Amino acid sequence: MCGRYSLYADMDFIQEEFDVIIPGTLPKRFNIAPSQDVLVVTADGGDRKAHLYRWGLIPFWAKDPKIGYKMINARAETVDEKSSFRGPLKTKRCLVIADGFYEWKREDKLKQPFHIRLKSGKPFAFAGLWDQWNHKGEIITSCTHITTMPNKLMEDIHDRMPVILNREAQDSWLDPSIQDTEYLKSLLVPYESEQMEAFEVSPVVNSPRNDVADCIVPLSNIST
């Protein structure tokens, strides 16, 4: 499960990294939580576009938008089987932009939060799906992240991790002409652990109200 992440990289760098123009300004976020608007990238006719979609996918057929609270993640193994994700997998794929994510490791009765990111410090893309819900004139465009089995770095922390797409996989994921389910699922694999790092952070991140830089500071730095 991926239930919290960060995106505090420079906006110009994000635009260059993902070949997209972000309209307006993008505030630095250190503790992004479900139900909040998140930065996603889609491709329409070959052109990449940036959007802010609500995190927690609401299927177009849903009767109650609250279902989105249960749809913050989709499992790679069954993404083509679930009615909520099967359609978007073919026609509504997106990149969810981040530069780190959080996971909690259970230690006895406590849960220790970790911040996980690329060693390069660069922003990256989660494999995502989106959908649009329209009910009596209320329109909500929402998204979800896809998760997979953990790599060697993550397996000691949690039994799932978000799918991080490399450059080549990003292009394929956004290509609307690709609808082969088996091929798309073949992209949903654990990222190379050698390119990632994880470190303990303060419990301040436990509350989504704390959207502050202290969330990403290594606990060892605070202790000293």
Side-chain angles (χ1 to χ4, degrees), residues 2-164:
C2 176
R4 217 77 65 74
Y5 70 98
S6 61
L7 181 59
Y8 51 87
D10 180 79
M11 190 171 77
D12 290 338
F13 187 65
I14 295 173
Q15 293 183 129
E16 180 180 354
E17 192 75 7
F18 296 99
D19 190 26
V20 70
I21 296 176
I22 301 173
T25 58
L26 188 68
K28 295 181 182 298
R29 300 294 310 279
F30 300 95
N31 196 2
I32 300 171
S35 80
Q36 297 177 353
D37 288 343
V38 299
L39 178 66
V40 307
V41 174
T42 62
D44 183 9
D47 296 327
R48 291 189 173 195
K49 296 183 179 180
H51 315 268
L52 291 176
Y53 290 169
R54 181 186 294 185
W55 182 11
L57 189 137
I58 306 170
F60 74 92
W61 44 259
K63 295 182 179 180
D64 189 339
K66 291 181 181 178
I67 193 175
Y69 290 106
K70 300 179 181 179
M71 301 284 186
I72 66 170
N73 294 151
R75 294 176 68 92
E77 297 87 345
T78 58
V79 68
D80 58 330
E81 301 172 11
K82 304 294 185 180
S83 58
S84 302
F85 309 130
R86 188 166 53 238
L89 177 63
K90 288 194 172 184
T91 61
K92 295 176 181 176
R93 301 186 297 273
C94 64
L95 307 179
V96 182
I97 310 304
D99 49 26
F101 63 95
Y102 299 97
E103 198 52 81
W104 281 257
K105 178 181 179 179
R106 183 174 294 278
E107 298 178 345
D108 295 325
K109 296 182 179 181
L110 301 177
K111 287 187 176 182
Q112 173 60 50
F114 282 75
H115 190 241
I116 302 99
R117 64 187 183 189
L118 299 186
K119 290 179 179 178
S120 66
K122 291 183 177 181
F124 51 80
F126 297 135
L129 305 173
W130 67 275
D131 208 344
Q132 189 170 82
W133 182 80
N134 189 337
H135 182 70
K136 296 182 179 180
E138 181 183 6
I139 299 174
I140 301 175
T141 309
S142 57
C143 65
T144 188
H145 308 157
I146 300 177
T147 66
T148 187
M149 299 298 292
N151 59 22
K152 290 184 179 180
L153 175 73
M154 285 296 301
E155 64 186 5
D156 187 52
I157 300 173
H158 200 270
D159 61 359
R160 303 291 294 176
M161 70 175 291
V163 174
I164 298 174

